[in-house]
Amino acid sequence: MTDTVVIPASQCSARRRSLIAGCSAHAVHDGLTDVIYVLLPIWQAQFALSYAQIGLLRGAYSGMMAVFQLLASRTAKRWGRTPLLVGGTALAGIAYLMVGQATGLVLLLLALLLGGLGASTQHPLASSMISDAYEEGGGIKQALSQYNFSGDIGKTLIPGLVGLLLTVISWRASATLLGLLGLVAAGLLWWLIPTPSRAPATTKTARPSSGIGSASGLRALICTGTLDSAVRMGFLTFLPFLLQAKGAGTAGVGLALSLLFVGGAFGKLLCGYLGARIGMMKTVWLTETTTALLIMAAVYLPLNGLMLTLPLLGLVLNGTSSVLYGAVPDLAGAGRREQAFALFYTGTIGGGALAPVVFGSVGDALGAPVAAMVLAAVLLLTLPLAWWVERGMVDER
């Protein structure tokens, strides 16, 4: 199982290019997705939006991304991953060009729906492209860890830079620059992705994977990831408003998100190693319990205190997803890795899409602090689910 495999130089180059392309796509798409949090307070003030409408805007992008991921995975088998991934990235860029021209809620909503459609291609196609590239010579988990880390780099850099840009230029000009970034990234991906990766699925998925094929464990894993993602997206929606209530300005909100995402990036690496050492269930219990406590603390801490805790909060808030994501190949049955990834992402991103709408309504009725406390309580539901995932792994061995 662990024999060393000699890989030809040409294949090594293709593997590296696939990894760089996948990581680049992840960074750009995650950055374009999460920069919305910086823009939400501006849109609320400009267009007089309620929390529920703010949640609708955030949920529209994530909802389209979740709904069309399975379709993207299936369409790629016919048309190839490269055209679909490049086209989706370009579409996300075009969406932000439209955002820069929006004059009201309806046009913003349409643009974000289009952006979510383009973003739906990234997760299932880039992750399966990297998995296929590294399957023959080994190192899938390490490559996917780098892929996960790159997404948080995008979440850190792009919202932070836009937060700074907003102190100099208008939000419309910032959105236009984001659109151009998406178009440039699409061109880079078209050049970077090696030609053999366009149609690897039929040859590589036919081989048995190393997964144990636990259907019950995979379902429990998807439920755990869905709740974790819902709380994460819900909290990120309310965080700018909690910060503003404590006296933070636009640049402060951008800095806060950068601190959160820097912690999240390191959390994906640290929690991955921690999960390998103490097990998935114990790691999830540790990270989710800590996250719930820190979310409750965020409601009561002063601005400076909250800023100091944000890196640690980001570490546990995002770190859980890395542990859950790493369990997907272990629970996927033979030849079903790509489908398992698509199902997992559909559940987690779908939960993240619904959360801003549901908890936005709670925020309208009871206020943002109470909604944050509800989020912390919901997160504790992941603890018994993590036990179920662990049991599914044990039962199938």
Side-chain angles (χ1 to χ4, degrees), residues 19-42:
L19 180 61
I20 293 172
C23 289
S24 300
H26 200 187
V28 171
H29 277 277
D30 275 21
L32 293 180
T33 300
D34 282 21
V35 76
I36 294 175
Y37 294 117
V38 178
L39 298 172
L40 287 179
I42 299 175

Side-chain angles (χ1 to χ4, degrees), residues 7-392:
I7 304 171
S10 60
Q11 187 176 343
C12 285
S13 175
R15 281 156 58 101
R16 284 194 299 269
R17 291 181 64 178
S18 295
L19 180 61
I20 293 172
C23 289
S24 300
H26 200 187
V28 171
H29 277 277
D30 275 21
L32 293 180
T33 300
D34 282 21
V35 76
I36 294 175
Y37 294 117
V38 178
L39 298 172
L40 287 179
I42 299 175
W43 292 340
Q44 184 190 44
Q46 174 116 18
F47 302 114
L49 304 177
S50 67
Y51 281 128
Q53 289 172 323
I54 286 292
L56 178 63
L57 288 177
R58 180 62 187 91
Y61 198 99
S62 296
M64 288 292 285
M65 184 162 47
V67 168
F68 284 94
Q69 281 185 119
L70 281 172
L71 180 61
S73 178
R74 292 169 183 164
T75 304
K77 293 181 179 179
R78 173 174 295 182
W79 300 104
R81 286 179 185 147
T82 301
L84 210 60
L85 184 55
V86 170
T89 305
L91 189 59
I94 292 170
Y96 269 97
L97 294 179
M98 293 174 58
V99 165
Q101 304 300 315
T103 57
L105 176 63
V106 174
L107 292 179
L108 268 180
L109 182 60
L110 290 175
L112 292 177
L113 287 171
L114 189 66
L117 177 62
S120 68
T121 62
Q122 189 273 132
H123 281 115
L125 302 188
S127 58
S128 58
M129 176 180 71
I130 291 172
S131 297
D132 287 347
Y134 279 80
E135 183 173 22
E136 185 173 339
I140 292 179
K141 288 184 180 292
Q142 295 89 331
L144 289 176
S145 176
Q146 295 177 53
Y147 167 76
N148 277 338
F149 180 77
S150 68
D152 282 84
I153 295 300
K155 292 176 182 179
T156 301
L157 292 179
I158 295 178
L161 290 174
V162 170
L164 293 175
L165 280 175
L166 288 171
T167 64
V168 181
I169 62 177
S170 69
W171 69 268
R172 294 185 185 277
S174 298
T176 300
L177 290 176
L178 291 170
L180 294 176
L181 172 64
L183 294 177
V184 170
L188 177 65
L189 290 174
W190 182 263
W191 169 78
L192 192 57
I193 297 175
T195 303
S197 67
R198 293 191 180 187
T202 56
T203 59
K204 294 196 174 185
T205 57
R207 294 196 302 267
S209 69
S210 57
I212 57 179
S214 172
S216 63
L218 183 60
R219 285 194 295 267
L221 182 70
I222 292 172
C223 290
T224 308
T226 299
L227 287 176
D228 177 72
S229 178
V231 171
R232 182 167 61 254
M233 298 304 180
F235 178 71
L236 285 171
T237 301
F238 285 109
L239 180 59
F241 302 101
L242 291 174
L243 290 165
Q244 283 186 334
K246 298 175 188 292
T250 301
V253 172
L255 174 62
L257 289 172
S258 292
L259 290 173
L260 188 78
F261 293 141
V262 164
F266 286 100
K268 291 204 171 177
L269 292 177
L270 177 62
C271 292
Y273 286 109
L274 187 63
R277 289 184 178 274
I278 68 174
M280 187 277 302
M281 184 184 72
K282 291 180 180 178
T283 304
V284 170
W285 282 14
L286 176 63
T287 56
E288 299 291 52
T289 302
T290 306
T291 301
L293 292 173
L294 289 176
I295 287 176
M296 290 187 287
V299 175
Y300 298 104
L301 286 173
L303 179 60
N304 290 336
L306 176 55
M307 289 292 228
L308 289 174
T309 63
L310 284 176
L312 177 59
L313 176 55
L315 189 149
V316 291
L317 186 70
N318 277 11
T320 306
S321 64
S322 184
V323 180
L324 300 177
Y325 182 81
V328 173
D330 294 333
L331 291 168
R336 295 174 62 85
R337 182 186 294 139
E338 186 169 293
Q339 183 181 0
F341 275 129
L343 288 171
F344 180 79
Y345 276 123
T346 298
T348 56
I349 296 178
L354 290 176
V357 179
V358 174
F359 292 106
S361 299
V362 175
D364 284 332
L366 303 175
V370 174
M373 301 294 281
V374 173
L375 285 167
V378 169
L379 194 60
L380 297 178
L381 296 175
T382 61
L383 304 184
L385 285 170
W387 171 82
W388 190 269
V389 175
E390 187 84 357
R391 195 178 105 170

